[in-house]
Amino acid sequence: MFEDEQAPISRLDVLVYRPTSTPGMTSFATVGMAGQEMPVAPGPGGGGRAELHFRRRGSLARLDEHAIAVRLANLAIHPFVTGQQLNWGHMISFGDDFPTFPGCRTVFLTGPLSSAGLDYVHTSVGAVRVINVVPITNAERERGRTLPPVAFAQSLLAHADIFGERPQ
């Protein structure tokens, strides 16, 4: 739980679901980002409500879980700090590696990663977009700049284990 009365979102939870099988996945989900609509910025998909989802292959140490939760919380408030929305197809770069993903200083934001994946959750205040966070390498980022977002997501799924460390 992240609380700050002065922050754009006063309370944001990042839920951690630990794997129940081996190798399994550790899953993360923000709760609270959708409490208000994102700013309507120039470009497609303006505004709306969203929450972030992230998956990492295997079990993680508590310190790694915490580091990922902090990164997701900071990403969740990004639209409210910068005035720019987050949406499928966006790439966001950081000054350092995404926790547990050495060499991945950028994330690709995408919709469902499979035909059974969630795209929106319908709530009493309207649809909430589910944004999957995928850490990517610099080479993947450069390739992503040359492809439409759906084609880039498909190429990542075909050529990389997006849920684990990438070869550097």
Side-chain angles (χ1 to χ4, degrees):
M1 172 176 45
F2 300 92
E3 289 185 300
D4 181 351
E5 291 300 322
Q6 305 305 314
I9 299 173
S10 60
R11 177 178 172 161
L12 181 82
D13 293 308
V14 180
L15 305 179
V16 179
Y17 300 92
R18 295 184 179 102
T20 57
S21 63
T22 303
M25 294 276 197
T26 302
S27 299
F28 297 78
T30 62
V31 176
M33 180 181 175
Q36 57 185 306
E37 288 199 25
M38 287 186 285
V40 178
R49 297 175 192 272
E51 293 289 355
L52 304 176
H53 285 190
F54 173 76
R55 294 173 65 195
R56 174 69 163 91
R57 188 169 309 289
S59 297
L60 299 170
R62 299 283 170 132
L63 285 174
D64 289 334
E65 289 177 353
H66 179 73
I68 291 170
V70 168
R71 183 59 56 95
L72 292 174
N74 286 333
L75 188 57
I77 66 167
H78 175 83
F80 308 101
V81 172
T82 65
Q84 299 176 349
Q85 63 180 311
L86 295 179
N87 206 347
W88 299 337
H90 289 180
M91 288 188 256
I92 307 290
S93 294
F94 305 103
D96 57 352
D97 292 345
F98 193 93
T100 77
F101 283 83
C104 294
R105 292 181 171 224
T106 301
V107 292
F108 175 61
L109 306 179
T110 184
L113 293 167
S114 70
S115 60
L118 287 174
D119 54 357
Y120 288 88
V121 175
H122 297 282
T123 71
S124 61
V125 294
V128 174
R129 186 177 319 121
V130 176
I131 299 176
N132 292 289
V133 177
V134 178
I136 58 175
T137 65
N138 284 338
E140 290 167 339
R141 183 175 128 255
E142 291 307 314
R143 190 171 75 248
R145 289 181 168 176
T146 66
L147 296 170
V150 171
F152 179 53
Q154 290 170 341
S155 77
L156 283 173
L157 289 168
H159 297 100
D161 176 7
I162 64 168
F163 304 114
E165 291 182 28
R166 307 292 198 297
Q168 293 190 40

